Amino acid sequence: DSRRKARHAPKERTRRMGAATRTVGIGYAKTMGALRLGGVLLDRKALAELAVNDSAAFALVVKSAEGALAKA
């Protein structure tokens, strides 16, 4: 059912990003806060795709945002 799939897509993206951020060594909430402070303009959908398809680039984005969190 397409409605159910659309309803569950944001939750699935959050799960994927949570798993990817734990592999980097930081939690989901801290990652999202760091991305906001770091001025990263990628939305959650783009970040989830990046986490699934290019984990090295996702880790780089998270680490750079984590650096911005350390400065704040």
Side-chain angles (χ1 to χ4, degrees), residues 8-72:
H8 290 290
K11 293 176 188 174
E12 184 62 31
R13 285 194 290 267
T14 302
R15 282 189 212 110
R16 287 178 179 175
M17 284 187 11
T21 57
R22 283 190 297 274
T23 62
V24 177
I26 184 173
Y28 175 79
K30 284 191 177 184
T31 300
M32 296 313 292
L35 291 171
R36 195 176 320 111
L37 283 175
V40 176
L41 299 176
L42 294 173
D43 61 354
R44 285 174 171 81
K45 185 175 182 178
L47 287 168
E49 287 296 318
L50 193 63
V52 171
N53 296 324
D54 192 359
S55 59
F58 180 76
L60 186 64
V61 169
V62 171
K63 288 293 184 181
S64 67
E66 190 177 14
L69 184 64
K71 291 179 185 176

